[in-house]
Amino acid sequence: MTQRSARRLDGIGTTIFTEMSALAARTGAVNLGQGFPDRDGPPEVIARAVTALQSGANQYAPGPGIPALRQAIARHQQRHYGIELDPGRQVVVTTGCTEGIAAALLGLVDPGDEVVVLEPYYDSYTAMITFAGGVRRPVTLRAPDFRLDPDALRAAVSPRTKLILLNSPHNPTGTVLTRAELESVAAVAVEHDLVVVTDEVYEHLVFDDHQHVPLATLPGMAERTLTLSSAGKSYSFTGWKVGWATGPAPLVGALLAAKQWLTFTSGAPLQPAVATALDEHADYPADLARSLQERRDRLVAGLGEAGLTPYVPQGTYFATTDISHLGWASSRDFCWALPERAGVVAVPLEVFYDDPDAPGAGRQLVRWAFCKEVEVIDEALHRLAGADLSA
Ligand code: GLN
């Protein structure tokens, strides 16, 4: 039969997160796959959304977002990082960071432009680079350390490079890029006059003594960095899909020009609630990070006891383990067998690489989410401890 779907969808299947959550639902397995918390954010913030729903915030919000939220986002950037923004021209509300990524790439990348992207990459990055007609040039964060190699970054840049797509704290590896690593990105960006789009949705979810440094705060970077974040991870409202983009007016404007044709505008009643979260619950994300750190430690210890030798993440919701000693041909095979073997779902890292068989890449790596209640983590660990996990 004639191919009905557009060529741009060739090679783009169902996102692994949908696939794995469906697998968990079908098998009744404990879902440590898709990264969403099983406890909602502050009740007062939910109450604010209810009030908004009941008091007329039910028609289109302004395209760039309601002024109150744009101002709250600007205050957030000021309070945490000393970044000064004009909420009228330098802040846009998006439908989650995922729309921010889509609008940024559609607004900034021409067909044939190269996009340098950290690998393993979040799958929407590659889909949207493809939709924009761009060509991805991955720079791999290699196991076991998952650090950014400045030489590899430099080697990935060519005269056709348009932008660098960064993500720190990094999903799925849990790497928090150091100031020195970010300086190497800044040096390359300035030298080659590149834009950097940086996904910082896990900005507050960092552990131990690690610190999130926004790339936009480095010398020479404010004028070329488009920063994306969201309320989903910082406030445990992943289903609200409220994110934002901040940066220099021309870059934010390009994103907005594309965004207006994607969703036009984002969910009106949730915007005042997110403004309340940012202004009145400014400590919530740090408390969440402390609680996540405990759950990270619990998961990491338990995975170790189950023979899975985890890498300890510096930030995010996720820990990664190497499974090469178990004899599976791939992390995908392992993850598909896991519900039956152990009643648990995890995410195979191999789907986030151009070449998962390269040294230090993801054919044998598996991601486990710890943004779950302690009892859920314990149940998963109990199941894993009693299971035969070898191929
Ligand atoms: N960010 C979440 C994760 O990495 C998933 C988000 C999604 O499913 N699009 O698990």
Side-chain angles (χ1 to χ4, degrees), residues 126-366:
T126 54
M128 293 318 302
I129 292 168
T130 304
F131 281 17
V135 179
R136 66 176 176 267
R137 293 284 175 235
V139 176
T140 308
L141 305 179
R142 291 181 197 289
D145 296 334
F146 301 115
R147 300 315 320 174
L148 175 63
D149 173 355
D151 295 332
L153 175 68
R154 236 164 231 291
V157 172
S158 86
R160 288 181 303 282
T161 306
K162 179 66 182 283
L163 64 82
I164 300 174
L165 178 51
L166 210 65
N167 170 218
S168 179
H170 182 258
N171 175 12
T173 64
T175 290
V176 177
L177 294 178
T178 61
R179 185 175 290 276
E181 286 168 322
L182 293 166
E183 279 167 356
S184 73
V185 175
V188 170
V190 170
E191 183 183 325
H192 295 272
D193 193 23
L194 304 176
V195 165
V196 185
V197 176
T198 173
D199 169 354
E200 302 186 356
V201 291
Y202 296 99
E203 61 186 317
H204 295 298
L205 307 185
V206 293
F207 313 128
D208 309 315
D209 296 331
H210 300 287
Q211 253 208 327
H212 169 65
V213 179
L215 185 73
T217 60
L218 269 58
M221 292 312 289
E223 70 249 38
R224 61 177 71 251
T225 302
L226 187 59
T227 304
L228 308 176
S229 193
S230 98
K233 309 298 192 296
S234 296
Y235 286 94
S236 299
F237 289 125
T238 63
W240 282 18
K241 304 297 295 173
V242 178
W244 49 84
T246 57
L251 297 183
V252 170
L255 177 146
L256 179 60
K259 182 231 157 52
Q260 65 182 330
W261 306 119
L262 295 173
T263 51
F264 179 49
T265 170
S266 301
L270 300 177
Q271 294 191 33
V274 172
T276 300
L278 293 173
D279 281 338
E280 293 171 26
H281 299 270
D283 295 337
Y284 181 89
D287 293 342
L288 176 61
R290 272 190 289 278
S291 135
L292 276 170
Q293 182 173 320
E294 284 172 26
R295 289 179 273 162
R296 173 200 68 172
D297 293 344
R298 206 174 181 98
L299 179 74
V300 162
L303 289 173
E305 280 161 28
L308 283 161
T309 339
Y311 303 113
V312 181
Q314 296 139 26
T316 76
Y317 282 167
F318 311 111
T320 294
T321 54
D322 190 315
I323 56 157
S324 31
H325 59 293
L326 296 173
W328 296 86
S330 76
S331 55
R332 213 171 210 297
D333 291 357
F334 173 84
C335 287
W336 272 96
L338 198 58
E340 200 178 310
R341 291 295 187 91
V344 177
V345 159
V347 166
L349 247 67
E350 65 180 278
V351 302
F352 306 131
Y353 293 81
D354 277 15
D355 177 8
D357 293 310
R363 185 72 78 198
Q364 297 288 331
L365 298 175
V366 173

Side-chain angles (χ1 to χ4, degrees), residues 15 17-18 33-36 98 122 171 202 233 241 318 367:
T15 163
F17 304 111
T18 298
Q34 193 176 28
F36 60 89
T98 300
Y122 185 52
N171 175 12
Y202 296 99
K233 309 298 192 296
K241 304 297 295 173
F318 311 111
R367 190 194 85 171

Side-chain angles (χ1 to χ4, degrees), residues 45 48-49 52-53 57 59-73 91-95 99 231 240-244 259 263-279:
V45 175
R48 182 69 189 89
L53 278 162
Q59 309 309 326
Y60 300 123
I66 64 167
L69 178 52
R70 280 183 280 149
Q71 289 156 10
I73 292 163
V91 181
V92 162
V93 176
T94 58
T95 302
E99 190 200 30
W240 282 18
K241 304 297 295 173
V242 178
W244 49 84
K259 182 231 157 52
T263 51
F264 179 49
T265 170
S266 301
L270 300 177
Q271 294 191 33
V274 172
T276 300
L278 293 173
D279 281 338

Side-chain angles (χ1 to χ4, degrees), residues 74 84-91:
E84 300 288 346
L85 296 164
D86 171 357
R89 298 162 57 246
Q90 295 187 277
V91 181

